Structure formats: C-alpha cells, structure tokens
Amino acid sequence: MIRLTSIDRTFTVGDEQVHALRDVSLAIEHGEYLSVMGPSGSGKSTLLNIIGLLDRPSAGLYELDGENVTALDDRQQSAVRRNKIGFVFQFFHLVPRLTAAENVELPLVLAGVPPSERSPLVQRLVGEFGLTRRARHRPDQLSGGERQRVAIARAMVMQPAAILADEPTGNLDQTTGKEVLHLLEELNGRGVALILVTHDAALGGRARRQIRMVDGSIQLDSGATRA
Amino acid sequence: MNASDTARFAWRSLWGYRGRTLLVILATSIGVAAVVVLTSLGEGARRYVRNQFAALGTNFIVVIPGRAETAGGGMGVLSGRTARDLTLDDALALLRTRRVESVIPVNLVSGEIWWKGRRRDVPVIGSTAGLMPIWNITMASGRFLPVEDPRRATPVCVIGAKIRSELFGAQSPLGEWVRIADRRFRVIGVLAPKGQFLGVDVDELALIPVTSAQVTFNLPSLLRVIVKTRAAEDVHRVADEIRRVIRSRHNGEEDITVFTEDSLSTAFDKILVALTLAVGAIASISLAVAGILIMNVMLIAVSQRTSEIGLLKALGAAPQQIRLMFLAEAAILSGVGGVTGLVLGSAGSFVIRQIYPSLPAYAPPWASAAGLGIAVGMGIVFTLVPAQRAARLDASAALSRR
Ligand SMILES: Nc1ncnc2c1ncn2[C@@H]1O[C@H](COP(=O)(O)OP(=O)(O)OP(=O)(O)O)[C@@H](O)[C@H]1O
Ligand SMILES: [Mg+2]
C-alpha cells in the first residue's frame, strides 16, 4: 500500500542543513501493524508526516496504492489524506469549541458528507468507542483517555486504510495508555494498517513489525524482508 | 464542505471568541451607521428643498438682477444684488408678455416694526396679492395684501403669527396702526403659522405692498420677480421672452438671471446629491478603519489557531477550504456588523426626524446598500491576507506545537 523509495527530507535552519530523513525506503502493506522507535530527533515524526502527506520529501518517491502522491498538488493531497489516512496525535488536537461528537464528525463535515448521512455514522462510532455519555461534552470536560478515544474515533470516521499515531500514549498514564493502544490494535485487527511511533519499548514491542530509526535512517526493520 | 457547514463552523469560531467578535461587529456597525445617518441628513436636505420647490408649482420663473457667471447658476446669485437694478417698471413690462399669467415683484429688507412703544426687528417683504397663492399662504385672520395697481403705496400690512403674538399678545391686531421704519401701516391680516419656507421664517415676516416698500426703504431695485406662466410647458419659451424684453429695456444688456423651476431644483439637487455623496464617502473611511481592525483580528486568530488549522489540514481540509473558512468568518463579522449598523443608522435618522420634523432624513437606499456592501467588501478584502496565511500554513510544524 505505502511504498517509500529513497526518501530524503532536509530542513534548512539558518544556513545549516538538517537531515531529518536520509535515503529512507520502506514498504507497508494493507493491514500491517508497525511500530517506529528511536531516539529523539531521529526523524520518526518527520517520517510519519511524509507518509501522512503533511510534509513533502526533499527527494525520493512516495507511492500510495500505486499512485505517485509526491506529484500531486496540495488540494489533491488533501483529498488523499482525507480518504485514506487517519491521524492520532500525542496532544489529541481536539477542537476545543466543539463537543466530542462534533469533533468526531469534523472529517465528514470537511469531506462534504450531508448531515443526514453524518449523524448515524457518528452515533455508531461514538457508541463503539464507549463515548455515548460523553458525546455532548467539550474536550476540556473529558479525561485524557477519553480525549484520545475521541481522537481515535475521529481518525476512524472516514474509514481510512491506515492510522498514523505519533506517540498516542505519550500524554497518558500507563494504564490508560495501554487501553488506548489496545483500542488501536483492535482497529488494526479489523484490517486498518497501524503505524505507531513510540518511545516506549514495551508498547512498541507489541507490534508485529518494528522499525528502529537513528539519525534519519532506518537502522533496523524487523519486517524488511517483505519490503 | 458545504456552505451551511462552512458558515456554521465560522460562526462557532466567532462565538468561541465572543469579546473580539463583538468588538469588530461594533466597529463595523458604527461605520455603517455613520454612513446611514450622514447620508440621511444629506438626503433629508435634498428632499426638503425638493418639497419646497414642489410647493411652488412648476409653472413659474424667477428673475433676479445681475448676470450669473455660469449657466446653471450658483447659490451666490440668489441673494446677490448686483449691476443694474431690476425695477418695478421692468416687472410690469413683463406682464405684457404672451403666456404670462401674473408677475409678482418681491423685495426683502430688514426693518423694525413698532406698536405702542413695543419694537421688534423684522424682515419686511414688499410684494403684491399674487404672492399669496405662490407661497401657499393661508390667513389666520383678516386678509392678504389688496389686489390693486402695484404702483400704489397703500399703507397696509400683513404680519406673521409670531410678530402678532409678540407685539399684540392676546389683543386683535386687525385695524391697528403700526409703524414700519418711519411710516404708518394699518394691519389688515395675520398669516397662519407656517414655519420655514424657502429659507424664510414666514411667522416672523411683515408684508407690505411692493411700492410701499420701495418708498419706505428707498429701494431702487427689486430682490426678484416671480413670473407665473399660464402652463408649465411655456416656462422655457417665456423665459426667453423675458430675457428679450429686459434686454431691450436695459440698452441691449442682459443683466438679469432667469431661473425656471426645473433649473433651480436641479441645481439644488445636484449640489445636495454631491454633498450627500461626499459625506457618505467620508463616513466610509470609518469602514476602512473597521476593515483594518478585521485584518488585525484575523491575523491574531490565525496565529492563535495555528494548531487547529494544522489539525483541519490533517483531517483533509484543502487550502482552499481553510481560506474559505476565514473568509466566511470575515463575511459573517462584517455582515452582522453591517446589518446592525443599518439598524442603528435607521434608528439614528428616525431620531433626527423626530427632532426636526420638517427634515425628511431618510437614508437613500443606494447609500445603505453601499454602506453594507463596502463593509462586507472591506471585511473580505482585508481578510484575504490572513486567510491566505492560514491556507499556506505548514501543517506538520503547526501540529508539532502544543
Ligand atoms: N520544521 C522543522 N524545521 C527544522 N528542523 C526540523 C523541523 N522538523 C523537524 N526538524 C528536525 O528534524 C529532525 C527530526 O525531527 P523529528 O521531529 O522527526 O524527530 P522525532 O524522532 O520525532 O523526535 P521526538 O522523539 O523528539 O519526537 C530533528 O533534528 C528536528 O530538529
Ligand atoms: Mg516526534
């Protein structure tokens, strides 16, 4: 599904060049469960952003479902992002003015799905994620775990092919973190590819395929043979 | 994202920052209200003048001494007393012109009126009986100036309602002898209260026969001559004839200015429309200020909502959509502000109409439409830059921030 070939990403800071990614090649199939670990600054988030089309590689080729997505313009990329990718962030990133249900609904609104089709979808997801009683609450009235559940429900509402989670447990205590991870794994079990960036070796170790990044390169890929 | 969702999302954002939203709405509404109120004053003045001319009818011509520099005439010539005199004989000569129904000589001078030791300054008009229908004069008591040979200096006078009450109190003035300047006049009538007419307070006037005025105040010239034609279609032909007659009487010199009702009222109309436009344009400057305020507020909003914008992008919002969201916010802000301004402005002109009932202070529709349009236009134009900034925002950087 995802095929990265010789991806480079350099940032210019002042007059210095920072190599966030160097010659990264990676192939991820539908429904895979993959964890990305590595020291801070090793390029994990940058990799995820490029996969999620939030960032463009400086060099290299990115194909998504056989399509060269690096060649697409911003508008086309946002359409791909909207339909194929769900994001889960460390800091939840819920819109504070909107209720839990409205946050879940937001991708549907942006996609222009008519309201009559939106509400059953949202209701079903909110129920599935055990948020029914919290549906009308605003983010600041929710616990961290609940917020992340809202964020995951939001990531799922467009039925993406892959969920990109950047330290989804980084802001939660251990128990809640585990619950959230189990939830993500359950979704993966239903066929959604899960790419999980984490610092926590215990959590990262649960993935069937593990990638270790150092200094912008993939140092170790437990599933590399399949690439 | 459909239009109603965009509007709803924009509204939620605005509601999320109520204080700021209210401030911008207030600023915009004040701008629009200023446009409405000021143009309603200009329009009120225009309608006032219009009404006054309409009251005169359309089949009259005004002749004044002196040559206006430009064909359309200016305000100065209306009061200017220049060059050669326009005499009562000139006026009476016009009576012999074809299609002329009547000729009303008018003079105006400021004098004093005395009765039993009471004294009052008074504008004195010298004219003839013909003035009564032209000015739509009605009598409170007695009668107007007598129908007689205009060359007779009959010692009678008609006084305004205010003069009457100030000089005579409760007593009837009819038949009483008053002194105007150094001559005695018998009061034969009192005008019904009328207020301002053509810039003169009719209630404060004293009217005497035109020749009495010429003699009493030693006036060689008339202030103006009103010529009434038999039909409204005749005015231009009669006006040409008047010029010809006066030229032949004044050694070939055309030293008068002839106004027809339409030239007069269009001249005023032009001046007052220009005035209304100018005043509206000045008021619009406050809308530009509101526009700049909107720009600043939007720039602040974009930087405050950086991570939200990043999130919207991560959820699949195209740059175009982000831009549209901010423009929708601007449109709502300035639209609500504009409509509020229209309401405030209409209330303002309503109050003006209550205070000055004779001034029909209604904002012209074009001014209200322009005020609203400029407000929304400014709001949107000044939001283009902030909206573009939001649309271009680097989502990955925005999301890595907390
Ligand atoms: N927008 C940017 N501008 C400049 N440098 C950047 C930018 N984003 C990332 N970098 C640099 O690229 C490198 C990789 O950053 P990245 O955020 O991918 O690391 P990371 O592995 O996610 O680290 P962490 O575990 O701390 O989140 C770092 O050196 C970082 O400073
Ligand atoms: Mg990171």
Side-chain angles (χ1 to χ4, degrees), chain A residues 136-157:
Chain A
R136 298 170 139 275
H137 291 211
R138 282 177 209 288
D140 56 9
Q141 298 165 319
L142 301 176
S143 72
E146 286 165 341
R147 286 185 211 183
Q148 201 58 304
R149 287 218 297 278
V150 173
I152 294 169
R154 179 179 66 189
M156 284 303 294
V157 78

Side-chain angles (χ1 to χ4, degrees), chain A residues 81-82 97 102 110 118, chain B residues 5 12 308 313 316 321:
Chain A
R81 189 161 58 228
R82 179 161 68 224
R97 301 181 299 279
E102 286 167 337
L110 291 171
R118 295 199 302 246
Chain B
D5 282 326
R12 301 286 294 254
E308 181 188 318
K313 287 193 160 190
Q321 273 181 302

Side-chain angles (χ1 to χ4, degrees), chain B residues 35-370:
Chain B
V35 171
V36 170
V37 169
L38 292 177
T39 53
S40 77
L41 282 175
E43 174 73 3
R46 195 182 71 84
R47 288 200 198 185
Y48 174 80
V49 170
R50 247 277 160 80
N51 294 345
Q52 301 261 301
F53 279 115
L56 288 176
T58 51
N59 57 334
F60 73 90
I61 298 163
V62 176
V63 184
I64 64 168
R67 183 92 185 101
E69 288 302 316
T70 49
M75 310 276 284
V77 297
L78 294 176
S79 57
R81 190 171 257 162
T82 43
R84 196 194 303 245
D85 301 333
L86 182 63
T87 63
L88 187 59
D89 286 337
D90 289 335
L92 296 175
L94 296 177
L95 203 49
R96 290 189 293 272
T97 311
R98 287 207 316 147
R99 300 195 183 83
V100 167
E101 187 183 297
S102 59
V103 169
I104 302 111
V106 180
N107 227 326
L108 174 67
V109 66
S110 65
E112 299 174 336
I113 184 165
W114 293 79
W115 183 71
K116 285 193 177 162
R118 284 188 213 164
R119 175 198 160 275
R120 199 185 184 288
D121 287 324
V122 67
V124 179
I125 283 195
S127 192
T128 60
L131 191 66
M132 186 167 172
I134 293 257
W135 275 18
N136 269 322
I137 287 171
T138 45
M139 304 302 295
S141 61
R143 53 194 180 83
F144 197 65
L145 299 176
V147 182
E148 60 181 357
D149 182 351
R151 270 180 277 250
R152 282 191 58 184
T154 317
V156 293
C157 81
V158 172
I159 57 176
K162 215 163 172 182
I163 299 289
R164 178 229 129 101
S165 64
E166 285 182 17
L167 232 48
F168 296 94
Q171 196 180 330
S172 169
L174 296 181
E176 295 293 325
W177 286 87
V178 294
R179 190 156 65 78
I180 295 174
D182 53 3
R183 281 170 190 255
R184 282 163 34 91
F185 293 85
R186 195 161 57 84
V187 179
I188 57 167
V190 178
L191 303 177
K194 186 179 171 79
Q196 289 282 333
F197 184 73
L198 294 174
V200 185
D201 189 348
V202 173
D203 301 347
E204 294 196 344
L205 285 181
L207 290 111
I208 56 179
V210 63
T211 300
S212 302
Q214 309 296 93
V215 173
T216 308
F217 294 98
N218 191 24
L219 301 169
S221 178
L222 296 169
L223 177 71
R224 57 174 168 246
V225 177
I226 301 168
V227 178
K228 203 169 170 199
T229 63
R230 286 185 213 284
E233 308 86 73
D234 293 338
V235 286
H236 292 287
R237 242 187 299 171
V238 172
D240 288 339
E241 186 63 15
I242 289 171
R243 287 193 196 93
R244 204 187 55 74
V245 170
I246 299 292
R247 219 184 297 129
S248 73
R249 291 178 58 86
H250 288 191
N251 306 329
E253 235 183 291
E254 194 183 311
D255 51 4
I256 51 155
T257 304
V258 179
F259 290 107
T260 51
E261 188 272 347
D262 54 350
S263 75
L264 256 184
S265 67
T266 8
F268 270 108
D269 225 66
K270 271 189 195 152
I271 292 166
L272 290 169
V273 165
L275 183 83
T276 307
L277 268 174
V279 148
I282 290 166
S284 308
I285 293 171
S286 60
L287 285 174
V289 174
I292 291 167
L293 182 68
I294 289 186
M295 175 153 91
N296 278 301
V297 161
M298 283 300 169
L299 284 173
I300 294 168
V302 170
S303 60
Q304 265 183 348
R305 278 150 61 185
T306 298
S307 71
E308 181 188 318
I309 296 163
L311 170 79
L312 292 173
K313 287 193 160 190
L315 298 182
Q320 175 62 23
Q321 273 181 302
I322 307 265
R323 192 179 304 129
L324 213 64
M325 283 176 173
F326 279 92
L327 292 178
E329 283 189 31
I332 292 176
L333 271 180
S334 49
V336 171
V339 170
T340 313
L342 289 185
V343 172
L344 286 180
S346 317
S349 19
F350 175 78
V351 169
I352 291 170
R353 293 197 299 271
Q354 299 306 302
I355 300 173
Y356 306 103
S358 61
L359 191 68
Y362 294 93
W366 58 262
S368 300

Side-chain angles (χ1 to χ4, degrees), chain A residues 145 149 169 172-182 200 203:
Chain A
R149 287 218 297 278
T169 61
L172 303 171
D173 63 56
Q174 234 174 9
T175 337
T176 324
K178 267 211 182 94
E179 278 169 26
V180 163
L181 191 63
H182 286 156
D200 189 326
L203 294 183

